[in-house]
Amino acid sequence: MSLQLDAVVTEIRSLLDRPAEPRPERAIVERTLTDGYAYALGLEAERLRAERRLRGLPADGVSEREELERRTAATRQELADLRALLSTLRAHALD
């Protein structure tokens, strides 16, 4: 996990770990959601670039292919985890 992703996840978790009352300020939640979704878009772009590169690799590029496949899988998982946290935050803090 990158330091930036770690910071986004930490901020989301800190809001989720707060007691239900008083609710966090809406502006704080919205900023955190915005930051999180912006980071998710960056992860999505990274995943798409890696997948595009994988399709363009020659068959003999095995070690590079394995590394790209590993990075793509890790990015997919980070993205899924981040989206789940963002969804939970949105449901708990804004509804």
Side-chain angles (χ1 to χ4, degrees):
M1 185 181 298
S2 75
L3 290 177
Q4 187 177 5
L5 178 57
D6 190 41
V8 169
V9 168
T10 298
E11 181 65 23
I12 293 168
R13 289 192 189 283
S14 74
L15 290 171
L16 289 173
D17 291 343
R18 290 176 75 169
E21 294 296 330
R23 286 183 162 198
E25 291 181 38
R26 187 175 185 92
I28 293 170
V29 174
E30 288 175 352
R31 188 199 75 237
T32 302
L33 287 170
T34 299
D35 291 348
Y37 284 119
Y39 196 84
L41 285 173
L43 284 174
E44 185 69 24
E46 182 181 325
R47 183 190 62 80
L48 290 171
R49 281 190 299 272
E51 287 176 352
R52 198 173 311 124
R53 189 162 177 202
L54 271 169
R55 287 191 298 272
L57 281 178
D60 62 348
V62 175
S63 64
E64 186 177 2
R65 177 175 299 282
E66 289 172 351
E67 175 61 21
L68 279 172
E69 287 172 345
R70 185 195 62 73
R71 277 192 5 223
T72 301
T75 300
R76 269 193 208 109
Q77 187 60 54
E78 287 177 342
L79 187 56
D81 294 345
L82 179 57
R83 285 183 173 153
L85 278 173
L86 289 165
S87 179
T88 302
L89 176 60
R90 187 180 61 241
H92 283 106
L94 296 179
D95 290 341

